[in-house]
């Protein structure tokens, strides 16, 4: 099993420590620098996020692909706002233009307010997962069909669909920990994506997804999202983490945002908030920012020296995690730091572990 590293391009060089919430205006200088730093730093892909008030992820990915030669792109995409046949052609075109460097991260959506901004009003979470399931059925059919096909479903009715352009290899990432999400992931995910929880919680999630996928004859990979905080010494790294917490707290208070009594609408954030009931778990799993933000997205980290954090990442790899989506609170500076000081050590440790496993199996 090999390991892949996914970085992040959030449209500007700010984070929760600056704005309380992530500001998503488009800063072209930052995007260009982030592409360069993460390609030179050895990242395999970068996530381009999706939001109801943010720059459009596929267009940013197309721009990025034109400026890079090796870096791949994980394009966040939300079903329900584009017809699946059109989305299939858009993504296949992007795949061809980038020479096969694209993957898609299907974001079903959990917050009613977020969905309503794009006109999706009145749907339940269960309905949205059912829609994502059907959407992915049509998407893959469009990619694979050699002849025109019809589709009659609950959400989509299609006649004589056929695409002249098809992807060479376009992996589908999918996340969510509710029963509905796990079932859809089992049917469709090439890579199942989850946030940084404890080792025991991650093991449980991997077991659930594998059982769901096995019912469909599938075996997905697993991606874990983390916000590593690294420094030359462990003490310095924990001081750095404490400073990040205080800066996030001050930014949220300044903007009138809550720092406690959160009630997240989605199952994944609720699980992560439960994990954040203790500031520190599994020796170096750090949840200080998750506590303040209500576990809004990728908000937990591993804290320590590069060697210590790499050792913790190896523990997740042993569970079956083969992709790590990592980003920092100083987006550009941390991406450069990870590429220089963290990724090489993780790769070295995983290569040694894989070699030992191969010897023991022979």
């Amino acid at each position: 099993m090999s390991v892949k590293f996914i970085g992040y391009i959030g449209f500007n060089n700010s984070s929760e420590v600056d704005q309380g919430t992530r500001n998503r205006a488009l800063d072209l200088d930052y995007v260009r620098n982030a592409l360069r730093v993460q390609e030179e730093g050895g990242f395999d892909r970068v996530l381009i996020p999706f939001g109801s008030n943010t720059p459009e992820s596929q267009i940013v990915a197309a721009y990025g692909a034109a400026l890079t030669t090796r870096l791949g792109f994980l394009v966040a995409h939300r079903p329900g706002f584009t017809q699946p046949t059109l989305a299939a052609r858009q993504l296949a075109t992007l795949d061809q233009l980038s020479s096969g460097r694209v993957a898609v991260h299907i974001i079903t959506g959990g917050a009613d307010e977020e969905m309503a901004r794009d006109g999706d009003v009145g749907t339940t979470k269960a309905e949205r997962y059912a829609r994502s399931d059907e959407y992915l059925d049509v998407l893959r059919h469009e990619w694979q069909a050699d002849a025109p096909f019809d589709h009659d479903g609950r959400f989509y009715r299609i006649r004589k669909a056929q695409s002249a352009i098809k992807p060479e290899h376009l992996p589908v990432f999918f996340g969510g920990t509710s029963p509905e999400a796990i079932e859809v992931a089992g049917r469709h995910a090439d890579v199942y994506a989850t946030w940084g929880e404890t080792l025991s919680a991650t093991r449980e999630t991997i077991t659930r997804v594998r059982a769901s996928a096995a019912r469909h004859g599938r075996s997905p990979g697993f991606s874990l999202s983390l916000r590593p905080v690294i420094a030359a010494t462990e003490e310095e790294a924990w001081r750095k983490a404490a400073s990040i917490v205080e800066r996030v707290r001050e930014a949220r208070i300044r903007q009138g945002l809550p720092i406690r009594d959160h009630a997240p609408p989605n199952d994944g954030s609720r699980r992560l908030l439960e994990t954040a009931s203790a500031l520190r778990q599994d020796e170096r799993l750090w949840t200080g920012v998750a506590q303040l933000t209500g576990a809004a997205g990728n908000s937990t980290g591993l804290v320590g020296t590069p060697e210590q954090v790499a050792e913790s990442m190896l523990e997740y790899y042993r569970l079956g995690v083969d992709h790590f989506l990592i980003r920092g609170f100083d987006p550009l500076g941390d991406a450069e730091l990870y590429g220089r000081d963290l990724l090489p050590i993780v790769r070295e440790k995983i290569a040694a572990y894989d070699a030992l496993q191969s010897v023991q199996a022979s």
Side-chain angles (χ1 to χ4, degrees), residues 64-175:
L67 296 180
T68 55
T69 58
R70 185 198 58 80
L71 190 66
F73 298 87
L74 179 56
V75 180
H77 177 76
R78 181 171 290 165
F81 306 106
T82 305
Q83 289 294 320
T85 49
L86 174 57
R89 298 195 301 279
Q90 290 172 332
L91 290 164
T93 302
L94 187 55
D95 172 82
Q96 293 287 324
L97 290 174
S98 67
S99 300
R101 289 186 283 148
V102 173
V104 62
H105 191 355
I106 298 297
I107 308 293
T108 296
D112 292 343
E113 297 84 357
E114 167 79 7
M115 307 299 287
R117 293 189 193 110
D118 275 328
D120 190 3
V121 179
T123 55
T124 66
K125 182 175 73 171
E127 287 171 334
R128 291 195 286 266
Y129 276 112
R131 182 175 63 191
S132 291
D133 186 24
E134 185 179 336
Y135 190 93
L136 284 165
D137 278 338
V138 176
L139 193 79
R140 287 194 184 277
H141 203 161
E142 179 94 350
W143 285 342
Q144 297 166 359
D146 294 325
F149 68 92
D150 295 344
H151 174 86
D152 287 290
R154 176 180 172 187
F155 300 95
Y156 302 103
R157 298 185 71 238
I158 297 162
R159 294 292 178 268
K160 305 301 180 188
Q162 185 179 21
S163 177
I165 188 164
K166 302 184 188 303
E168 295 177 10
H169 174 64
L170 208 162
V172 172
F173 285 58
F174 195 90

Side-chain angles (χ1 to χ4, degrees), residues 66-329:
L67 296 180
T68 55
T69 58
R70 185 198 58 80
L71 190 66
F73 298 87
L74 179 56
V75 180
H77 177 76
R78 181 171 290 165
F81 306 106
T82 305
Q83 289 294 320
T85 49
L86 174 57
R89 298 195 301 279
Q90 290 172 332
L91 290 164
T93 302
L94 187 55
D95 172 82
Q96 293 287 324
L97 290 174
S98 67
S99 300
R101 289 186 283 148
V102 173
V104 62
H105 191 355
I106 298 297
I107 308 293
T108 296
D112 292 343
E113 297 84 357
E114 167 79 7
M115 307 299 287
R117 293 189 193 110
D118 275 328
D120 190 3
V121 179
T123 55
T124 66
K125 182 175 73 171
E127 287 171 334
R128 291 195 286 266
Y129 276 112
R131 182 175 63 191
S132 291
D133 186 24
E134 185 179 336
Y135 190 93
L136 284 165
D137 278 338
V138 176
L139 193 79
R140 287 194 184 277
H141 203 161
E142 179 94 350
W143 285 342
Q144 297 166 359
D146 294 325
F149 68 92
D150 295 344
H151 174 86
D152 287 290
R154 176 180 172 187
F155 300 95
Y156 302 103
R157 298 185 71 238
I158 297 162
R159 294 292 178 268
K160 305 301 180 188
Q162 185 179 21
S163 177
I165 188 164
K166 302 184 188 303
E168 295 177 10
H169 174 64
L170 208 162
V172 172
F173 285 58
F174 195 90
T177 54
S178 67
E180 300 96 334
I182 296 292
E183 178 57 28
V184 178
R187 279 173 47 82
H188 296 288
D190 297 308
V191 179
Y192 175 83
T194 188
W195 291 330
E197 297 183 294
T198 62
L199 289 167
S200 61
T202 303
R203 182 185 297 109
E204 177 208 5
T205 298
I206 288 175
T207 299
R208 291 173 64 202
V209 174
R210 281 177 172 164
S212 175
R215 291 194 292 271
H216 303 284
R218 309 184 71 254
S219 180
F222 291 89
S223 174
L224 188 77
S225 295
L226 294 164
R227 310 283 287 273
V229 179
I230 59 175
T233 68
E234 183 174 9
E235 293 76 14
E236 184 183 346
W238 282 106
R239 286 195 297 271
K240 186 175 176 181
S243 173
I244 290 169
V245 169
E246 288 310 307
R247 291 170 65 192
V248 173
R249 185 193 310 277
E250 291 170 3
R252 291 183 70 84
I253 290 172
R254 189 165 57 247
Q255 294 203 2
L257 299 169
I259 59 173
R260 62 176 65 86
D261 300 326
H262 300 285
N266 58 307
D267 187 73
S269 289
R270 287 193 293 270
R271 282 174 56 99
L272 205 60
L273 200 54
E274 289 173 10
T275 297
S277 60
L279 181 63
R280 178 174 175 177
Q281 300 198 41
D282 285 349
E283 188 174 9
R284 58 191 70 264
L285 179 66
W286 167 70
T287 61
V289 171
Q291 287 181 351
L292 292 174
T293 62
N298 178 10
S299 52
T300 58
L302 297 171
V303 178
T305 66
E307 179 80 18
Q308 290 170 329
V309 170
E311 189 64 37
S312 292
M313 292 171 73
L314 177 60
E315 291 300 313
Y316 286 104
Y317 180 80
R318 287 175 176 145
L319 296 180
V321 173
D322 56 357
H323 294 68
F324 289 98
L325 197 164
I326 60 173
R327 61 186 177 93
F329 293 92

